[in-house]
Amino acid sequence: MPSRHHEPHRTAIYATALTAFFAIAGIAVVDPILPVIGTEIGASTWQIELLFTAYLIVMAVGMIPAVIATGRFGYRAVLATGVTVVAVASVLAALSGSIAQLAVLRGLWGLGNAMFFATAMVLLVALATDREWVVELFETCVGLGFAVGPLIGGLLGQISWRVPFAACGVLMLLALAMSVTRLRDPQDPPTPLRLRDVLQPYRRPAFRALCAVTAAYNFVFFVVLGYTPVFLGLGVIPLGLVFTAWGVGLAVGILVVGHRLAHRVGAVATVGVAVGGLLVALVLLATSAGTAESVVVLVLAGVCMGIANANLTDLALGIGGAERRTTTAAFNLVRWGFAAPAPVIAGLLHPVSPTAPYWLGAGVLLLGVAVFARKGQAMAGAVGERLTWRAWDRAARAVEGTPEEAVGEA
């Protein structure tokens, strides 16, 4: 995955991307040990799902002060502080004795990751000359982190559920060492920001539409990631292997399919295809006849998620405006904020029916599909694309005053 351009800051770019890998592996390491935590601590399904929800909601809200802090302290200092907070929280989580303590520490973990995610993408884009390449590199590291994290959790979780948390602390200390020794701020320091600056991208209709689709998609993402370990009912190592396969599917969607499909049909249309495929996967999960079928569908869902992830971030940066920090903060506030309630809601629905969370996810994602159908052309126009479906093309030609015959001949 080489860049098409000369990259003078290649070492710093790779160091930032590798730190992202460690950060995401730390999120996903929890997946295979959720049922074990519930059994050993005596927590219900919705209570163990708090380990995801506490993390996500603090991470979403923490994006705003984190991105504002970059204007005062610089990217590198905020990023290194975030990595340190994650390392401390993960080590303390390994020593905790109740679900309440774990949830609080996962919230602290989320605050640290907010500092990281508020700065990492902006730092990468600022350092790189090829934006598409660096976004693909970042999302690939995210996908690989989701692939390797469950494997670490499964292999170490058979010793004790505490060991994967301790391993996360070690990974984040490695990430801290890299961020301190390898990362550098861009030559032009970031300008100070205020709260109203962070909210500025929401004034753009196309950005609001993209956020609505992303909100529905990320809700479903964490229904799948947070609830499926409970739904499958497998042991620690089998769950680790299953979610490693899911993570590989995610990485394939990002690295192999996502941008190639976007080059062929456009990034907005590619997101539409991915969201539509994920909707089908949710219905198949809700109606699956057995564990083997559910695992196959889960991996296919991972591919669809990877395709979406490969393009959503790049679209947000293209639609949200020139100031990358405010776009990143506004987009991630929606991305993680609407994901936050998904795991707990899924846990509360579990006693009603094991498949109820998937049906709810399908309903939420159907709303996202409806927004896409309504506003897809506006999103495409904002990045210089045109959706290829005939009805949307006619609407675009009517707006642009382009004769239908001329377009057909072209």
Side-chain angles (χ1 to χ4, degrees):
M1 189 179 55
S3 172
R4 297 186 302 269
H5 304 281
H6 173 64
E7 298 292 349
H9 307 299
R10 190 176 294 271
T11 300
I13 289 170
Y14 282 134
T16 307
L18 189 58
T19 305
F21 166 78
F22 287 140
I24 293 298
I27 301 173
V29 76
V30 177
D31 245 28
I33 59 175
L34 283 178
V36 175
I37 292 173
T39 300
E40 294 196 9
I41 292 185
S44 64
T45 300
W46 76 267
Q47 287 175 324
I48 61 174
E49 296 296 347
L50 278 173
L51 302 188
F52 275 112
T53 292
Y55 167 89
L56 290 169
I57 196 165
V58 175
M59 183 175 173
V61 176
M63 287 286 173
I64 294 177
V67 79
I68 292 174
T70 61
R72 182 171 182 180
F73 303 107
Y75 300 120
R76 184 170 173 266
V78 174
L79 188 147
T81 301
V83 172
T84 303
V85 170
V86 173
V88 171
S90 56
V91 170
L92 291 177
L95 303 173
S96 61
S98 70
I99 196 68
Q101 290 175 0
L102 272 175
V104 169
L105 288 168
R106 284 289 282 179
L108 182 63
W109 196 325
L111 178 61
N113 263 12
M115 296 180 193
F116 170 78
F117 280 103
T119 54
M121 179 54 66
V122 182
L123 185 59
L124 285 170
V125 173
L127 291 172
T129 55
D130 186 345
R131 190 188 79 186
E132 182 180 306
W133 168 73
V134 83
V135 170
E136 183 178 3
L137 176 66
F138 180 82
E139 293 293 350
T140 299
C141 287
V142 168
L144 292 174
F146 274 123
V148 175
L151 184 60
I152 295 172
L155 292 175
L156 298 180
Q158 64 178 328
I159 303 171
S160 167
W161 63 263
R162 300 178 186 275
V163 177
F165 285 117
C168 270
V170 174
L171 286 176
M172 296 315 292
L173 288 174
L174 291 174
L176 177 63
M178 292 194 70
S179 63
V180 169
T181 59
R182 298 291 183 182
L183 299 190
R184 50 169 293 178
D185 280 319
Q187 190 171 4
D188 297 326
T191 57
L193 291 175
R194 291 171 290 182
L195 177 60
R196 66 181 183 184
D197 297 323
V198 178
L199 303 179
Q200 187 76 19
Y202 295 127
R203 296 184 179 182
R204 297 170 176 259
F207 186 79
R208 292 199 302 269
L210 180 67
C211 284
V213 174
T214 302
Y217 162 73
N218 256 55
F219 181 92
V220 169
F221 189 104
F222 278 92
V223 167
V224 172
L225 183 63
Y227 174 70
T228 305
V230 176
F231 176 74
L232 292 177
L234 299 173
V236 174
I237 291 182
L239 269 179
L241 294 174
V242 165
F243 273 89
T244 295
W246 170 80
V248 169
L250 191 77
V252 168
I254 294 169
L255 185 58
V256 179
V257 184
H259 284 298
R260 292 183 182 181
L261 189 58
H263 289 154
R264 189 173 290 267
V265 301
V268 175
T270 298
V271 168
V273 171
V275 171
L278 182 56
L279 180 60
V280 172
L282 281 173
V283 174
L284 291 176
L285 278 172
T287 57
S288 62
T291 301
E293 182 181 336
S294 297
V295 170
V296 172
V297 174
L298 178 67
V299 174
L300 293 176
V303 175
C304 293
M305 292 169 168
I307 295 170
N309 282 7
N311 291 281
L312 283 170
T313 301
D314 202 31
L315 281 173
L317 291 172
I319 294 173
E323 174 55 74
R324 305 301 187 194
R325 287 178 297 161
T326 58
T327 297
T328 300
F331 182 67
N332 280 321
L333 177 61
V334 171
R335 187 179 192 178
W336 303 112
F338 279 85
V344 163
I345 291 174
L348 291 170
L349 287 176
H350 176 70
V352 178
S353 167
T355 60
Y358 295 126
W359 287 119
L360 174 65
V364 171
L365 195 57
L366 194 59
L367 293 176
V369 171
V371 173
F372 184 90
R374 179 74 175 170
K375 300 293 185 180
Q377 190 62 57
M379 289 188 287
V383 290
E385 296 178 358
R386 175 180 290 173
L387 293 176
T388 57
W389 286 272
R390 186 169 180 79
W392 278 322
D393 274 352
R394 278 202 297 267
R397 287 195 291 273
V399 170
E400 297 171 10
T402 305
E404 184 167 347
E405 293 81 2
V407 175
E409 289 171 4

